[in-house]
Amino acid sequence: MLGKLSLDAFMHDSLIIVFANVIMIGTGLAIAAAITYYGKWGYLYREWLTTVDHKKIGIMYIIFALIFLLRAFIDAAMVRAQQAAIGAGAEEGYLHASHFAELFTGHGTMMIFFMAMPFLIGLMNIAIPTQIGARDVSFPFLNSLSFWLTAAAGALVMVSLLVGQFSTAGWTGYPPYSALPYSPSAGVDYWIWALQISGISTTLTGVNFLVTILKKRAPGMTLMRMPMFVWTALCTNILMVLSFPALTVVLALLALDRSFGFHFFTGDMGGDQMMYINMFWIWGHPEVYILVLPAFGVFSEITATYCNKRLFGYTSMVWATMAIAFLSFTVWVHHFFTMGQDSTRNAAFGIATMIIAIPTGVKIYDWMWTMFRGRIEFKLPMLWLLGFLITFTMGGMSGVLLAIPGADFKMHNSLFLVAHFHNVLVPGTMFGLLAGFYYWFPKSFGFTLNEKWGRHSFWGWLIGFYVAFVPLYMLGIMGMPRRMVTYDNPSWGIWLIIAAIGALIVAYGIFAMFMQIYVSVRDREQNRDVTGDPWGGRTLEWSTSSPPPEYNFAIIPTVTDRDPFLDMKIRGTAYARPEKYEDIHMPNSTPDGVIIAGFAFIFGFGFVWSIWWLAALAALGIIATVIVRGCRDDHGFHIPAEEVKRIEDARYDQLKASGVFERIKHIKDFGDDRTGVPVDKMSNANL
């Protein structure tokens, strides 16, 4: 009746795992007790669990991502500690080989699927509807469902720590390692169904935001007037829609192999293991740019804002973004140059890999020329940008080296490769996400983040990155393979000890980030944003209050420039009030997303442990919930014009008291009002 599930699944021979389970369960119980003590279950249900408001969903995505950032970093730190311990003289370290394999598999899986992806989708939820002048996304319920499916997938990963174990086959899950004869435990099945549910969620998100950007832009916002973050999000969502179905199919085929004895990826009965690798990387390399492109959009927004200039080369930036999106589907073979292709095929994909560096270089030069002769304000996001430019360029150059098939034969599966992709994704994704987190935080919560602790976090991340990963380049050149639980080459030890010290420095950066949040919440009244525009912004989200009202815009704005809010400041219409307000239609909250996601979790758990009756009941539950929702008339609700007027009048009075109207009077051109220097006193070159 319980399939493969038995009491043995709850037994763990590692005290580390037992301790982790105690912490996880204890934390969950403490949070539940606190909610009960303060009587917040009703508030939590009404305002968060059932919400379809894109702003709240974005906040939940980012909270979810920060939780998995902690979990994934702990896994990585344990890997570094194991290898450093051997370098310091311990013969076997402190981890069993299977636990070590779980750690590096979990780290890669969680950082990509459950940290980076939710973080960037959270930023898209917070910024995009308000940047394009919309009141919500095109499909609010689908947005809620997407988040809760992601949460269900994350829950499967967390449950694997308590019941059974996680995969030991690496985050890519290559056969034959992931085949049933070589991974008979439930770990690979947890991996399959966590990624399957998460991947479906991401595909739905891609469809939702693609339609939102194409169909819900404010009047006058043509494609070439969209903010660069919206452009990068548009290309990112196209990549999501086109690439994630490949992952969904390949995981379904692997599940059939493991659960029902099929032979898609086995070494006999007509199976083809290389088919898995091709299908995985047809998703996998576009995924790299799904992670990087939104960060590029963040850097474009903050460069223009904090340099007090229009973004240099806007048109070239747009074309470079589209070129990267297109070329990302032409380079997947460089992930397996060593796996049997002929030299002509390898050369073709090597050249394509080098070509994709060209539009990326265009973006770097555009950011640099935007900074040139600008009135730069070195706020925290600008530090993240500068750290990114130097570090990402170094990672890109190592990537061009690996694009040479002959060099890749030497470096493949070594720590040089590990250093390279961290050298691209840490600055190219993490730095951009943290810059966007600081930049849009006041828009979500109504107060700014603490600058001092933010700078501590930046230097921890930047210095820690170099100390942790430059040694891995050296070790790769010295011939050290990745994923080694033990080794007997004494010359590697010192480099691995240095890398572990780098991980400790990064740990300080993460600690400082959470301290930044704590101190900011504690001092929120001192850092309150009463204008909605703390940075002197140029795009439409800064024309709303912080945080925006449920409806975002009382009157949908008309756009006449690609820096629409700054254009309104120049023309004196930034805070103009209409003659009258109208009722505003909004979607109703619904628990259906939570219910479907709950059934999806049960379905995945049933498949993991071959509890077929449980999986079948969960599938019926999903279908029944969808049918009931489809048969239910849900016309939303209206916010009365009188209520809208009351909210907008209160905001106008607050703006007047803050002096914002006087502060923007001097703006005559596409400069900015943060320094208080009249635009006509500045040289045209600085504009």
Side-chain angles (χ1 to χ4, degrees):
M1 184 175 181
L2 295 180
K4 297 184 294 184
L5 184 62
S6 67
L7 286 176
D8 290 341
F10 296 86
M11 303 300 175
H12 302 285
D13 57 2
S14 170
L15 289 178
I16 296 173
I17 295 178
V18 173
F19 179 73
N21 281 321
V22 170
I23 294 296
M24 181 175 69
I25 295 171
T27 302
L29 291 175
I31 293 172
I35 295 172
T36 303
Y37 178 80
Y38 290 104
K40 293 296 183 181
W41 285 110
Y43 166 81
L44 194 64
Y45 177 82
R46 293 188 304 273
E47 298 296 327
W48 295 94
L49 298 182
T50 62
T51 186
V52 295
D53 186 339
H54 68 94
K55 301 178 287 295
K56 292 181 178 178
I57 290 173
I59 291 169
M60 289 192 291
Y61 264 117
I62 291 176
I63 293 172
F64 178 89
L66 292 177
I67 292 170
F68 273 90
L69 172 63
L70 276 178
R71 168 80 194 277
F73 177 77
I74 291 170
D75 283 3
M78 291 175 67
V79 168
R80 292 272 73 85
Q82 163 71 11
Q83 294 180 326
I86 296 171
E91 290 187 5
E92 299 296 329
Y94 69 101
L95 293 174
H96 298 300
S98 61
H99 190 188
F100 183 84
E102 279 188 73
L103 291 172
F104 65 67
T105 301
H107 170 72
T109 300
M110 287 185 281
M111 285 298 288
I112 290 173
F113 291 95
F114 301 107
M115 192 291 295
M117 288 298 297
F119 209 135
L120 69 88
I121 292 173
L123 290 182
M124 286 196 295
N125 266 282
I126 288 168
I128 285 177
T130 49
Q131 281 200 321
I132 65 174
R135 291 198 170 114
D136 209 321
V137 295
S138 291
F139 309 112
F141 165 69
L142 204 61
N143 200 19
S144 169
L145 175 62
S146 296
F147 169 73
W148 289 111
L149 286 176
T150 300
L156 275 178
V157 175
M158 290 297 193
V159 165
S160 72
L161 193 65
L162 178 65
V163 186
Q165 66 178 83
F166 197 59
S167 172
T168 60
W171 81 270
T172 54
Y174 280 6
Y177 305 118
S178 57
L180 197 60
Y182 300 96
S183 295
S185 73
V188 173
D189 299 296
Y190 271 120
W191 178 82
I192 288 172
W193 289 103
L195 267 61
Q196 191 72 286
I197 296 170
S198 172
I200 292 170
S201 161
T202 303
T203 304
L204 296 177
T205 296
V207 171
N208 200 353
F209 276 91
L210 185 59
V211 175
T212 298
I213 293 170
L214 293 179
K215 302 298 291 183
K216 292 185 76 71
R217 301 191 307 277
M221 183 174 280
T222 61
L223 289 175
M224 295 308 287
R225 286 178 179 167
M226 293 196 309
M228 273 310 305
F229 183 69
V230 178
W231 260 114
T232 57
L234 174 65
C235 292
T236 295
N237 286 287
I238 291 171
L239 293 180
M240 286 181 185
V241 172
L242 294 179
S243 67
F244 265 87
L247 180 67
T248 300
V249 170
V250 77
L251 292 174
L253 298 181
L254 183 60
L256 290 173
D257 276 8
R258 289 182 57 84
S259 298
F260 299 110
F262 282 56
H263 293 276
F264 289 106
F265 308 128
T266 59
D268 57 359
M269 302 292 289
D272 186 350
Q273 295 166 4
M274 282 304 299
M275 181 171 71
Y276 175 95
I277 295 170
N278 272 279
M279 292 181 70
F280 182 88
W281 286 113
I282 285 173
W283 160 81
H285 202 81
E287 168 66 8
V288 172
Y289 293 98
I290 289 171
L291 297 175
V292 168
L293 282 177
F296 286 178
V298 171
F299 289 131
S300 297
E301 297 297 325
I302 66 177
T303 305
T305 298
Y306 294 108
C307 293
N308 304 289
K309 287 177 62 179
R310 276 190 184 277
L311 185 66
F312 181 90
Y314 173 89
T315 302
S316 66
M317 190 80 82
V318 169
W319 283 105
T321 302
M322 291 191 290
I324 289 171
F326 173 77
L327 291 170
S328 70
F329 283 101
T330 69
V331 297
W332 80 92
V333 172
H334 74 217
H335 290 276
F336 44 92
F337 279 148
T338 62
M339 295 186 184
Q341 295 80 231
D342 58 68
S343 58
T344 303
R345 204 163 300 165
N346 279 352
F349 280 92
I351 292 169
T353 302
M354 296 179 191
I355 290 173
I356 204 170
I358 296 173
T360 307
V362 169
K363 286 178 169 286
I364 290 173
Y365 279 110
D366 282 343
W367 291 317
M368 291 172 64
W369 279 106
T370 304
M371 288 188 284
F372 179 67
R373 302 187 73 178
R375 294 181 296 129
I376 303 175
E377 184 172 347
F378 285 101
K379 286 285 192 179
L380 181 59
M382 282 301 296
L383 296 183
W384 287 115
L385 171 65
L386 295 174
F388 154 80
L389 288 174
I390 298 168
T391 311
F392 184 83
T393 300
M394 186 176 81
M397 288 190 292
S398 66
V400 172
L401 173 62
L402 290 171
I404 303 169
D408 188 75
F409 268 68
K410 165 68 177 172
M411 306 299 181
H412 185 76
N413 214 36
S414 75
L415 284 179
F416 189 96
L417 178 63
V418 174
H420 157 69
F421 67 68
H422 283 86
N423 204 166
V424 171
L425 289 181
V426 171
T429 300
M430 200 69 224
F431 286 13
L433 294 177
L434 293 176
F437 179 65
Y438 179 93
Y439 184 62
W440 282 306
F441 186 92
K443 186 52 58 180
S444 297
F445 293 97
F447 57 93
T448 57
L449 281 170
N450 181 274
E451 183 85 10
K452 174 186 172 182
W453 279 106
R455 289 173 182 265
H456 280 247
S457 179
F458 166 75
W459 289 112
W461 273 98
L462 186 69
I463 296 171
F465 170 82
Y466 281 100
V467 178
F469 289 103
V470 170
L472 301 194
Y473 278 119
M474 305 301 294
L475 287 162
I477 293 171
M478 294 165 67
M480 183 176 181
R482 60 180 174 176
R483 300 172 177 171
M484 292 190 70
V485 64
T486 63
Y487 55 91
D488 57 7
N489 188 330
S491 65
W492 295 347
I494 184 62
W495 295 106
L496 289 164
I497 291 172
I498 295 171
I501 293 171
L504 287 175
I505 299 172
V506 173
Y508 175 75
I510 295 174
F511 165 77
M513 180 185 69
F514 283 98
M515 278 299 298
Q516 178 192 32
I517 296 171
Y518 165 74
V519 171
S520 301
V521 173
R522 184 194 66 191
D523 301 336
R524 59 189 178 276
E525 292 305 324
Q526 301 172 29
N527 302 312
R528 185 70 62 186
D529 171 27
V530 297
T531 68
D533 183 24
W535 317 127
R538 311 169 80 88
T539 45
L540 288 177
E541 73 269 32
W542 304 112
S543 68
T544 65
S545 60
S546 295
E550 184 177 7
Y551 49 80
N552 290 346
F553 299 94
I555 303 294
I556 298 299
T558 298
V559 173
T560 59
D561 190 87
R562 71 168 183 256
D563 288 333
F565 185 44
L566 187 55
D567 177 57
M568 294 175 186
K569 293 177 185 178
I570 293 168
R571 293 187 291 108
T573 61
Y575 300 104
R577 292 193 287 181
E579 293 182 3
K580 67 173 184 176
Y581 295 97
E582 298 180 352
D583 294 352
I584 296 176
H585 177 264
M586 297 300 295
N588 283 322
S589 297
T590 174
D592 294 343
V594 180
I595 294 170
I596 293 173
F599 281 128
F601 170 82
I602 297 170
F603 177 85
F605 188 83
F607 245 96
V608 167
W609 293 103
S610 301
I611 309 174
W612 305 121
W613 63 268
L614 184 64
L617 286 178
L620 289 174
I622 293 171
I623 294 169
T625 306
V626 172
I627 291 174
V628 169
R629 177 170 178 80
C631 295
R632 185 192 310 135
D633 290 330
D634 185 356
H635 301 296
F637 69 99
H638 286 85
I639 301 175
E642 295 78 13
E643 176 67 10
V644 175
K645 184 176 186 304
R646 183 191 65 78
I647 295 171
E648 294 300 314
D649 285 349
R651 191 203 172 205
Y652 188 86
D653 292 340
Q654 190 177 46
L655 288 171
K656 188 174 181 180
S658 71
V660 68
F661 300 131
E662 293 298 320
R663 197 170 72 245
I664 65 174
K665 281 183 178 179
H666 69 267
I667 300 178
K668 306 297 181 184
D669 209 329
F670 283 88
D672 176 277
D673 65 314
R674 285 181 296 108
T675 63
V677 179
V679 172
D680 56 9
K681 299 292 185 183
M682 298 186 297
S683 67
N684 290 332
N686 282 342
L687 299 177

